[in-house]
Amino acid sequence: MDGQDSVPLSIAIINYVTRTLEGVVLDDAAQQGIFKSDPWIVEHQAKSVLCVPLLKQGHLTGIVYLENNLVTGAFTPQRIEMVNMLSAQAAISIDNARLLKHQAELNASLQMEIAERERAEKDRDRMITILEASTDHIGLADPQGSVLWTNTFSQKTMGLTPNDDITQLKIADYHPQWALTIIQQEGLPAAIRDGTWVGETALLDKDGNEIPVSQMIIAHKSADGNVEYFSTVMRDISDLKAAEAEVRQLNADLEQRVMQRTAQLAAANKELEAFSYSVSHDLRAPLRAIDGFLRILQEDYGSQFDAEGNRYMKIVRDNAKRMGELIDDLLALSRTNRQEILPQLIYPNELIHKILRDMELDLEGRQVEFEIADLPLCQADLSLLRQVWVNLLSNAIKYTRHRTHARIEIGFSTNPEENMYFVRDNGAGFDMRYVDKLFGVFQRLHRDDEFEGTGIGLAIVQRILHRHGGRIWVEAAVDQGATFYFTLPANIVLPHPS
């Protein structure tokens, strides 16, 4: 049937029967009665129509609609009576079917509820088994503080037996007063507000001894937001507390040892300062006397000595001078370890140019090409960093002395953790097999008649850089020059503008 051009059956007749609960009999539907203009009747030229309600105890359970398009008066009283009897039986059958369906639905729902209850009981039993096997203290309490249940481990700790009625106990029976105060003033209010609370409290064992515990309290609420009961889990942290006490004692002992070592170090520094003073004054005086008397001897009596005698006196004076230089370098090395570091923002290029201006006499008469990159800023002690650059630059100038065209390059590379600077020359270089000796005190890789030096400068450089959190290394080859690399931390703290 086309739903746009016609409607299924006579809706008007069906609506009438539904509203009045009365049957409709039409012997000539298209020509008589109030439904002759009904669209369905007109379209199908219905002759006879019978529409009967199906009633069960006065309630409509369905409608029987019969239609004959061949003859009028098709529904005689006998047929109508038969339809009414069948309709009554049909109404009973329909209602019974509905009742059976409803009963089946109730049975299915009941079976589901039983199955769900059985699953819940199994889950509960499984959970109780887990809780009973736990070595944590676990319990339930009502909002008034009465104990509802505790696991076996907690009962044993309290000295309870299975025959004891734990429901007669209160939360206060399980805790010392200070812990109970924390639970009542902090734990329970926080659990009610936030759902859970975690903190450190204590339990009382059967002998009244305190057991430190880490405790969690959970508030279980009904749908309307009221607290039904509290659950709690408490874990014994006695070992943790003992370890913390041991750590505190170790820290105290360590602090005491540090104080003792600091005092010893301070005393050693004072002794070192006294030694440095002695070296500076007591040892230099004899050296000055030796050099002075030899100079007078050469000036006043030099003509009375032959060439060999004058050569001997020159050797003594040169060694006295070298001894003085060694003393100066040793004092510098000592001061490097003790000097307070005063970090400041440094522009390396400015510092390098100042150092090179001071070295103009060493460069006089030589052809030395300098290639200096735009070096990144750094933060260091100015006087100490100056010693680093002086040593590295003076070495590069010294060891390129025999080059017709000397070349010295100063460059850098950076990463987030540190800045790396380098000084590269095309000088004498050295054998990398002996690189481990390079930064040791009095360690030299060249003879004095080749290149002068005391063997202390690079040791000073290494100690300065280590004190700044940096490092130094070198790459070299014989007669191919050397490259000294060193690093400084990149975390520059700019000075606050005044």
Side-chain angles (χ1 to χ4, degrees):
M1 296 177 63
D2 188 347
Q4 294 181 348
D5 299 331
S6 60
V7 293
L9 305 180
S10 175
I11 298 301
I13 295 175
I14 292 173
N15 287 342
Y16 175 84
V17 173
T18 300
R19 185 176 65 255
T20 63
L21 301 181
E22 296 177 356
V24 173
V25 181
L26 300 176
D27 292 329
D28 191 357
Q31 302 297 326
Q32 301 174 357
I34 60 175
F35 300 108
K36 63 182 181 180
S37 299
D38 181 83
W40 175 270
I41 299 297
V42 173
E43 180 180 353
H44 292 83
Q45 290 296 304
K47 301 295 185 179
S48 302
V49 174
L50 174 62
C51 188
V52 180
L54 302 181
L55 300 175
K56 178 68 167 56
Q57 295 180 350
H59 297 288
L60 182 68
T61 60
I63 291 177
V64 175
Y65 182 90
L66 300 176
E67 181 180 301
N68 190 318
N69 295 334
L70 300 178
V71 297
T72 59
F75 299 108
T76 63
Q78 293 82 4
R79 290 180 177 176
I80 294 173
E81 183 178 358
M82 183 181 297
V83 170
N84 286 333
M85 290 175 59
L86 293 174
S87 297
Q89 293 177 358
I92 295 172
S93 298
I94 291 174
D95 189 60
N96 290 339
R98 288 177 179 173
L99 289 175
L100 289 173
K101 180 181 178 182
H102 182 62
Q103 183 178 2
E105 291 174 349
L106 288 176
N107 289 338
S109 176
L110 182 59
Q111 290 176 355
M112 290 178 60
E113 185 176 346
I114 293 172
E116 185 65 29
R117 185 175 299 174
E118 290 177 349
R119 283 195 297 270
E121 289 177 353
K122 290 181 180 179
D123 291 341
R124 182 199 62 192
D125 294 342
R126 189 180 300 113
M127 182 61 66
I128 290 176
T129 301
I130 295 173
L131 296 179
E132 288 289 6
S134 174
T135 55
D136 290 331
H137 303 272
I138 305 172
L140 306 176
D142 64 21
Q144 289 72 44
S146 297
V147 176
L148 301 175
W149 175 86
T150 59
N151 66 341
T152 301
F153 183 75
S154 182
Q155 292 178 19
K156 289 181 179 178
T157 302
M158 290 286 292
L160 301 174
T161 67
N163 296 326
D164 292 323
D165 185 5
I166 62 172
T167 60
Q168 300 300 315
L169 298 175
K170 298 285 187 179
I171 294 178
D173 298 322
Y174 282 77
H175 302 278
Q177 184 57 48
W178 67 267
L180 184 63
T181 300
I182 293 176
I183 293 171
Q184 292 175 337
Q185 296 183 1
E186 298 181 23
L188 296 177
I192 294 172
R193 181 183 66 250
D194 304 325
T196 61
W197 173 83
V198 177
E200 290 189 3
T201 60
L203 275 174
L204 292 174
D205 66 11
K206 60 184 178 180
D207 299 320
N209 300 314
E210 292 188 10
I211 303 173
V213 295
S214 174
Q215 182 172 7
M216 173 185 288
I217 299 176
I218 304 173
H220 301 266
K221 299 180 181 181
S222 61
D224 56 6
N226 293 321
V227 176
E228 293 184 336
Y229 64 94
F230 294 99
S231 64
T232 185
V233 178
M234 294 169 283
R235 176 161 296 178
D236 189 339
I237 56 173
S238 299
D239 292 342
L240 177 62
K241 288 299 182 181
E244 289 178 351
E246 184 178 357
V247 169
R248 285 195 296 271
Q249 184 60 46
L250 290 174
N251 287 336
D253 294 343
L254 178 61
E255 186 175 355
Q256 182 63 31
R257 287 198 297 270
V258 168
M259 292 174 62
Q260 293 173 353
R261 294 291 176 85
T262 302
Q264 294 171 359
L265 181 60
N269 283 336
K270 287 184 179 180
E271 292 178 3
L272 184 59
E273 290 176 3
F275 172 74
S276 299
Y277 181 85
S278 175
V279 170
S280 177
H281 296 274
D282 298 344
L283 294 184
R284 285 183 179 184
L287 287 175
R288 284 196 299 269
I290 292 171
D291 183 67
F293 281 113
L294 282 172
R295 179 174 54 80
I296 294 172
L297 189 62
Q298 282 184 314
E299 292 175 354
D300 295 347
Y301 303 98
S303 58
Q304 300 179 24
F305 290 94
D306 59 11
E308 189 69 8
N310 279 296
R311 188 176 73 83
Y312 289 156
M313 284 191 289
K314 183 178 183 303
I315 291 175
V316 174
R317 289 195 67 187
D318 289 346
N319 278 277
K321 180 181 178 182
R322 177 172 171 76
M323 185 65 178
E325 291 173 351
L326 285 172
I327 291 173
D328 290 340
D329 286 346
L330 283 173
L331 290 174
L333 182 63
S334 174
R335 284 194 297 269
T336 299
N337 291 330
R338 294 181 290 108
Q339 180 176 334
E340 181 184 2
I341 293 179
L342 301 174
Q344 65 182 81
L345 188 64
I346 296 175
Y347 295 82
N349 288 78
E350 293 183 4
L351 178 59
I352 290 170
H353 286 299
K354 289 179 182 179
I355 293 172
L356 292 178
R357 284 196 295 271
D358 295 339
M359 293 182 174
E360 287 179 353
L361 289 178
D362 297 326
L363 297 170
E364 189 173 346
R366 294 186 53 188
Q367 185 179 356
V368 181
E369 176 190 352
F370 286 94
E371 181 180 339
I372 305 174
D374 187 9
L375 304 177
L377 280 64
C378 62
Q379 190 161 306
D381 184 287
L382 179 59
S383 64
L384 293 177
L385 187 62
R386 178 183 175 84
Q387 290 187 60
V388 171
W389 284 110
V390 166
N391 272 282
L392 297 180
L393 291 173
S394 62
N395 280 349
I397 293 172
K398 176 170 61 176
Y399 290 108
T400 57
R401 180 186 302 159
H402 302 308
R403 295 287 186 234
T404 302
H405 179 77
R407 186 173 185 277
I408 298 174
E409 179 186 358
I410 303 172
F412 74 96
S413 68
T414 63
N415 61 54
E417 286 77 31
E418 60 186 9
N419 294 331
M420 187 272 289
Y421 305 88
F422 67 84
V423 177
R424 177 176 293 128
D425 65 65
N426 63 342
F430 60 88
D431 191 336
M432 284 292 288
R433 289 182 299 174
Y434 308 108
V435 69
D436 293 339
K437 297 182 178 181
L438 197 62
F439 297 101
V441 178
F442 301 133
Q443 297 292 330
R444 303 201 66 227
L445 302 184
H446 299 86
R447 299 192 312 272
D448 288 344
D449 58 353
E450 291 181 315
F451 300 101
E452 71 281 359
T454 61
I456 297 179
L458 289 177
I460 293 175
V461 168
Q462 187 182 57
R463 293 193 184 186
I464 290 174
L465 292 173
H466 285 177
R467 292 194 66 195
H468 282 78
R471 51 200 173 92
I472 184 170
W473 68 98
V474 63
E475 296 174 356
V478 176
D479 204 36
Q480 295 183 30
T483 303
F484 283 84
Y485 303 89
F486 72 90
T487 64
L488 289 171
N491 53 334
I492 295 177
V493 180
L494 296 177
H496 191 278
S498 58

